[in-house]
Amino acid sequence: EADGMRLRRISLRNFKGVAAASVDIPAEGVTVIEGPNEAGKSSLAEAVDLIIEYLDSSGAADVPAAQPIGVDAGPEVEIELTVGAYHLVYRKRWLKHPETVLRILAPRPEQLSGRAAHERVKEILDKHVDLGLWRALRYEQGVELEQAAVDREHEAIRVLGVRLDETGQVVGVERRLGDAVAGAQRQLER
């Protein structure tokens, strides 16, 4: 059963155009990351995808694409997150001195490195997170929006509290998303 995932912190070093940055994410509410073009907003989301998907030894095109131009250092990402009852700190570096380190702080302390760390994170995420929904709900700058294929049993139906009409089209999502945006705006105005 999917219990959900909550990012607490994302830290980047030598990742695309970001020399070093860390974003702490509040435990509650909606988090909106805003800033000028080329400030690294999209890099945060890409970094989370990279750390979850790719081994530190991966040769996939996304890995060298994360290395900053003209810097002789491997891209590095660290995330702190809660997944179900788990509280994790997970770090990877690719290309130059590849490394993967996982510290599980709760429910029972554990420390793993290398492939074992990667596999343990995958195991925890597969048990507690609908990664398909995670990917479907992400919005990427510069990518044209399309309606995702959703069936009556899809987790998005439960999470968003929407329904499907007789043709299988999602009904009611605009109001829910509008309510979420309005709530985020009120928080920003405080």
Side-chain angles (χ1 to χ4, degrees):
E1 169 151 329
D3 300 321
M5 173 174 77
R6 183 82 181 181
L7 290 169
R8 293 175 166 214
R9 180 177 47 82
I10 306 169
S11 299
L12 307 179
R13 276 182 53 129
N14 302 312
F15 195 94
K16 293 194 168 194
V18 179
S22 189
V23 176
D24 292 314
I25 301 169
E28 295 184 16
V30 175
T31 300
V32 177
I33 299 173
E34 61 91 22
N37 286 339
E38 303 302 318
K41 300 177 303 293
S42 297
S43 293
L44 292 170
E46 291 171 25
V48 173
D49 287 344
L50 213 66
I51 196 170
I52 290 172
E53 296 296 329
Y54 298 110
L55 291 166
D56 60 23
S57 60
S58 176
D62 290 341
V63 172
Q67 185 173 23
I69 296 170
V71 177
D72 189 29
E76 190 172 324
V77 177
E78 182 174 276
I79 57 175
E80 182 176 352
L81 62 157
T82 51
V83 181
Y86 291 90
H87 181 182
L88 317 170
V89 177
Y90 187 40
R91 180 172 50 84
K92 273 190 194 169
R93 181 175 50 241
W94 296 266
L95 304 174
K96 302 284 185 177
H97 310 290
E99 180 180 47
T100 300
V101 176
L102 169 64
R103 287 185 301 129
I104 299 178
L105 307 174
R108 189 181 84 251
E110 264 180 84
Q111 183 151 343
L112 299 165
S113 61
R115 184 180 285 268
H118 179 84
E119 295 301 326
R120 183 71 169 118
V121 169
K122 285 294 230 186
E123 175 188 318
I124 292 167
L125 292 176
D126 286 346
K127 183 176 180 184
H128 296 281
V129 178
D130 181 343
L131 289 174
L133 177 61
W134 161 261
R135 289 180 195 102
L137 291 177
R138 286 210 22 246
Y139 168 75
E140 292 184 44
Q141 179 179 339
V143 175
E144 191 161 326
L145 295 175
E146 297 177 3
Q147 181 169 342
V150 179
D151 63 31
R152 293 183 188 283
E153 303 302 317
H154 197 282
E155 184 72 3
I157 299 300
R158 183 187 66 74
V159 171
L160 293 174
V162 298
R163 63 183 176 78
L164 299 179
D165 67 16
E166 60 281 348
T167 66
Q169 295 295 308
V170 176
V171 178
V173 72
E174 293 85 3
R175 179 167 181 211
R176 292 288 305 232
L177 290 175
D179 291 347
V181 169
Q185 182 65 39
R186 283 192 299 274
Q187 286 184 354
L188 287 173
E189 291 170 355
R190 289 184 199 166

